[in-house]
Amino acid sequence: KVRIMIGYENNPGEPIDLACHEWKRLVEEKSGGTMRVDLYPSSQLGSKDNIIDQAVNGDCVVTLANGPFFQDRGIQDFGVLFAPYLFEGWEDLEKVVDSDWFEGKAEELEQNVGLKILTTWRYGIRHTITKKPVNGVSDLKGKKIRVPNQTILIKVFESLGATPTPMAMSDIYTALQQGTIDGAENPLPVILNGAYQEVAKNLVLDAHTYDMTCWIMGADYFHTLTEEQQNILMECGDQAGVFNSQQLEKADEEALEALKDAGVTVSELTPEDFKAAGQAFYEDPQIKAMWSEGLIEEMKTIIGRQD
């Protein structure tokens, strides 16, 4: 049997986890049992960066990563997928994923970094939960907000006036509990399943990023598979991605209600209250230096945005 290990930071029961179980079922069924998929939620295989290193080194591992991680590994323009308030819905991002631009960047990732994109899924709309109320963007000033260890989200929260604090997802609960950080950002189901509402009681639905994530495997290992096995892995991944999207909207609604029931206060602020502040991101010299000239305009052309 060909054995594939899928590792991710998300906890059992989250939409991503449920969809991974569907991916496992489809691959094992379609391959007639010749391919085996083992799932490792809750960072059982290590941090995201650790798993990516394992993949690049040729292990039979799959994990999820998004544009900012690819940017930090050398494919600079991929980070634009996390640009704040540029994409106004999933349809915008799906146009980008279906574009020649995305196909070209995926080829660069495989050739230059050694990572093969298998399939692309919706991960969630990212919001912010804090220990103290945020009644305006100015209330974020100086607050230590946990972000993944990636340049783009660090710069997003700097533009909003916060102090971004990179750390592993597995450390968030304890850091909130001990006051090491003042808040964290993630999609609502991730916040709920991480139980952050037990130690932080204020939620801002700022929707700073629509997170479209990619499932990746080391290119070297991918090419040891037969063409049939490669197609099974990718096609079943696409089918599981549809399943994931179906779960996600329902999970967002249920998570929001569960957070409210747990005593979390939801701010009346909206993404529009943050959008103006977020424009400082685009003026950051480091961001300008990272991306190709005209990249933002190219994104707007792809999604058909006129402004």
Side-chain angles (χ1 to χ4, degrees), residues 93-104:
L93 277 162
E94 284 160 356
K95 288 177 184 177
V96 175
V97 170
D98 290 338
S99 70
D100 291 339
W101 176 88
F102 188 91
E103 183 179 353

Side-chain angles (χ1 to χ4, degrees), residues 65-249:
N66 45 36
F69 278 98
F70 303 148
Q71 170 164 313
D72 290 345
R73 295 217 170 216
I75 312 301
Q76 296 282 345
D77 286 353
F78 243 141
V80 76
L81 297 179
F82 254 44
Y85 306 109
L86 175 61
F87 306 104
E88 298 178 346
W90 293 117
E91 294 77 11
D92 284 353
L93 277 162
E94 284 160 356
K95 288 177 184 177
V96 175
V97 170
D98 290 338
S99 70
D100 291 339
W101 176 88
F102 188 91
E103 183 179 353
K105 293 303 167 189
E107 289 176 2
E108 285 183 41
L109 185 70
E110 182 172 352
Q111 296 299 319
N112 299 342
V113 184
L115 292 171
K116 172 70 177 179
I117 295 177
L118 302 175
T119 184
T120 304
W121 294 5
R122 298 178 183 181
Y123 184 77
I125 307 170
R126 301 181 81 101
H127 304 291
T128 308
I129 190 166
T130 57
K131 293 174 72 72
K132 293 183 178 180
V134 174
N135 297 312
V137 180
S138 60
D139 288 341
L140 281 176
K141 186 174 178 61
K143 281 190 168 56
K144 292 173 288 186
I145 305 297
R146 179 270 173 185
V147 296
N149 188 19
Q150 49 186 225
T151 303
I152 297 301
L153 273 179
I154 290 171
K155 289 296 182 181
V156 168
F157 275 87
E158 284 181 355
S159 74
L160 297 175
T163 301
T165 307
M167 70 173 57
M169 189 183 295
S170 56
D171 295 332
I172 295 176
Y173 184 95
T174 302
L176 284 168
Q177 189 177 45
Q178 296 177 348
T180 307
I181 56 174
D182 302 304
E185 61 78 52
N186 243 308
L188 297 181
V190 180
I191 290 172
L192 178 67
N193 281 280
Y196 309 152
Q197 69 277 7
E198 295 177 0
V199 286
K201 294 293 187 181
N202 300 278
L203 178 66
V204 184
L205 299 176
D206 54 340
H208 49 272
T209 302
Y210 280 76
D211 186 348
M212 186 70 82
T213 198
C214 303
W215 288 97
I216 52 174
M217 168 179 271
D220 287 346
Y221 184 82
F222 178 80
H223 290 293
T224 68
L225 302 175
T226 67
E227 184 177 353
E228 180 184 12
Q229 290 166 341
Q230 293 172 358
N231 289 335
I232 287 173
L233 193 57
M234 292 190 293
E235 290 170 5
C236 291
D238 289 344
Q239 293 175 43
V242 174
F243 176 88
N244 175 68
S245 296
Q246 294 168 346
Q247 302 298 310
L248 199 56
E249 185 174 351

